[in-house]
Structures are given as C-alpha cells and as structure tokens.
Amino acid sequence: MDFDFSAILLGLTVLFGVVWGLDRLLFYKKRKAKADAAGQDVQDPVPVDWARSLFPVVLVVLLLRSFVAEPFRIPSGSMMPTLDVGDFILVNKFAYGLRMPAFNNKFVSLGEPKRGDVVVFRFPGYLCEVDGKTVRSGDQSCADPQAPVQGQNWIKRVIGLPGDHIEMHGDQLLINGQPIAADEVGPYVGNPKRDESRLMLEMGATVWNEHLPREDGSVINHLTARMPAYNRPPPIPNERVPSVVPQGCYLVMGDNRYNSTDSRWWGCMPEQNLAGKAFLIWLSWKGTDAGWVDFSRIGRLIH
C-alpha cells in the first residue's frame, strides 16, 4: 500500500488544530472558571492536551516538507549509477513553485524544470485508448484501462522540454535534431552482493558520460549506464510518445537507460505531477550484507 505522507500530515494538522481551537472557543473558559472557583489549576482533557502539544510540531514539519525540502528514499536501480538503491535524498520543494500539500496545486510559480534536472514527481500512469479518448491507467498492458494509478513518487532526469523534438534509437539520443554526445567511461563496477549491482555486472553494463545541452547553452555532464543485453526499451517516437514533447509535459528518463520504466513506456510527465528537484544525498544505506552505510556518498550533490 502507498501512503501519502503529505496527506497524512495535512490531516493531522487539521485534526489537532480543530480539536484545540474548538476547545478554546467552546469549553476552555467554563473549565477555567470552574477550576478557579475550586482554587485549582485548569486541566485540559487528554485529547485536547495532546492536540495542543502536537499541533505546532506537526504544522512545522508539514510546512518544511511542503515548501522547503522533503526526504525521499531511492527504491529502484533506474537512476544508477547517479543514484543507488538505498540512497536517501533531499528534494527542493520550491525550485519550481509552491504547491498545496497533498493536492499539489501550484499557487506560486518560481520556475520550470531545465533539461538535465533530476526531478521527483507523482507517477502519472500508462496511456491507454478508451472509446477514442486517451486515459491514464495503472495497467501497463491496458487490458484494464480503468485500473487506478498508484500514488507513487518516482524520480527521473528531464530530457525533453515542452516543444522539444526528441528521438531515441538504441543508445543514440537526439534533441532538436542534434545527436547528444556521450563518452564511454568503462565497465560498471559495483558490489555483487547487491541485487541491482549484480544484475548490471552480469549483463556487462558500461558507464558513459553524457553531455546534455541546456537551453541556455550550458551543458550538464552526467553518468548513464548501458546494458543492451538486458532489455530493449521502446524508441522515440512510438505509439505513446510523439516526437514533439506536448505543452505542459516533460519527457523524463532514468540514467540506467536499459532498466528504467520511464517516458518511453508511459508518455510525458505532466507538469502538475512535479514534486520538486532532487539536490542532495544525505544518507546511503547499503544493507547488512553490503557494508551497511556508504559514507562516501553522504553529502554528494545530485546533478
């Protein structure tokens, strides 16, 4: 089951605030007058005492997570070698604007994603056709186009901006007609005790330094992994992904190009699904069989 922690925090904040506020408006004065008449200190009922104590704490956490920075844990290997399974990251929640907690409606615009940004977003679902209309479904095969989309947070890299012409054929990425250069770094080196690393080692994965151009003329250099022996993602364009990125959408991919369920499979990522920009690894948990914590990754900036 997927829990929306922001929704839980919002619900608790409202609950504690309402309990505390109603008590102060309707019951506190009578309770205080009665205690004063008896020469005693006023005592709040246990639920009210808890609400009064927890309300400011939960409110501060909600505000920090919603508008400043939110922690996430990397659950899969789709962003390797940039991000490993078990990396705990911080996401800048105001990089692209302020959004309402839980509802994710933007009410203050502060910018838009740039090509090369690593972004966290709400998984939009797979594109299916129903009676001539395109719908988002949680079923990849579209056998059940009405299947609900799980409320999961995903992380990928922005490759295509609205209006960009994108092509992807095997390892070759083209943006607005220009081939994107990449230099081979060497074979992937990882810990065979970890499932994701073992898969990449068995499939003969190689690491590449990709030079992704930005709209301002600068270049983002980042690592990608290739292992064509493992999988063949769909090319771009395909039946779900047009060559031109629609307005209000972004085309995103994982850095582990052959092991990432990204825009090549389910289409563009709608702007309203954005959660924020990943910027820092604050902990990297490797597990009890693989060295516990990787201290070399702690504090590493994400780019």
Side-chain angles (χ1 to χ4, degrees), residues 9-253:
L9 278 176
L10 179 61
L12 289 175
T13 302
V14 172
L15 175 64
F16 294 151
V18 168
V19 170
W20 185 23
L22 287 178
D23 177 74
R24 285 301 183 267
L25 286 173
L26 302 177
F27 307 111
Y28 178 75
K29 290 182 179 179
K30 293 181 180 180
R31 191 166 62 249
K32 186 176 185 302
K34 185 177 180 179
D36 290 343
Q40 300 174 346
D41 294 332
V42 62
Q43 296 291 327
D44 290 333
V46 173
V48 175
D49 187 51
W50 276 83
R52 177 179 55 81
S53 301
L54 293 176
F55 173 74
V57 176
V58 177
L59 177 61
V60 169
V61 174
L62 175 67
L63 293 175
L64 289 176
R65 286 177 57 98
S66 300
F67 305 127
V68 182
E70 184 172 3
F72 289 94
R73 180 183 182 276
I74 302 302
S76 73
S78 69
M79 283 297 292
M80 294 172 71
T82 303
L83 296 171
D84 282 347
V85 177
D87 282 349
F88 288 79
I89 66 171
L90 287 178
V91 173
N92 184 336
K93 296 303 295 286
F94 58 86
Y96 309 128
L98 302 180
R99 297 174 183 268
M100 290 297 294
F103 300 99
N104 212 42
N105 303 104
K106 183 189 290 187
F107 62 92
V108 176
S109 181
L110 298 175
E112 301 296 337
K114 297 178 180 179
R115 194 181 298 117
D117 285 358
V118 178
V119 297
V120 171
F121 56 94
R122 206 68 161 171
F123 174 54
Y126 299 94
L127 292 170
C128 300
E129 292 292 328
V130 179
D131 298 328
K133 297 182 180 179
T134 301
V135 299
R136 294 279 186 175
S137 170
D139 179 9
Q140 181 174 352
S141 70
C142 290
D144 180 10
Q146 305 301 326
V149 179
Q150 291 183 317
Q152 297 175 328
N153 288 306
W154 286 30
I155 184 167
K156 305 291 179 188
R157 187 179 299 274
V158 174
I159 301 296
L161 304 176
D164 277 349
H165 187 284
I166 305 294
E167 294 182 52
M168 188 78 182
H169 305 285
D171 296 320
Q172 185 59 66
L173 171 64
L174 293 92
I175 300 178
N176 297 322
Q178 299 297 316
I180 304 305
D183 305 317
E184 185 172 3
V185 176
Y188 171 76
V189 177
N191 190 334
K193 292 183 178 180
R194 307 192 71 222
D195 293 340
E196 298 78 12
S197 295
R198 184 168 61 252
L199 171 65
M200 296 178 70
L201 291 169
E202 292 174 350
M203 293 293 108
T206 53
V207 176
W208 295 69
N209 185 21
E210 185 174 80
H211 313 295
L212 197 61
R214 282 189 160 173
E215 53 274 27
D216 61 1
S218 62
V219 175
I220 290 292
N221 300 307
H222 68 99
L223 297 179
T224 66
R226 300 179 182 180
M227 48 178 182
Y230 174 68
N231 189 22
R232 283 285 179 179
I236 298 176
N238 62 56
E239 62 181 4
R240 291 178 174 175
V241 187
S243 57
V244 178
V245 182
Q247 294 299 313
C249 270
Y250 297 88
L251 192 145
V252 296
M253 292 186 194

Side-chain angles (χ1 to χ4, degrees), residues 248-270:
C249 270
Y250 297 88
L251 192 145
V252 296
M253 292 186 194
D255 287 346
N256 196 349
R257 291 288 166 80
Y258 287 83
N259 190 19
S260 173
T261 305
D262 50 39
S263 283
R264 292 170 291 179
W265 299 90
W266 43 259
C268 68
M269 184 270 295

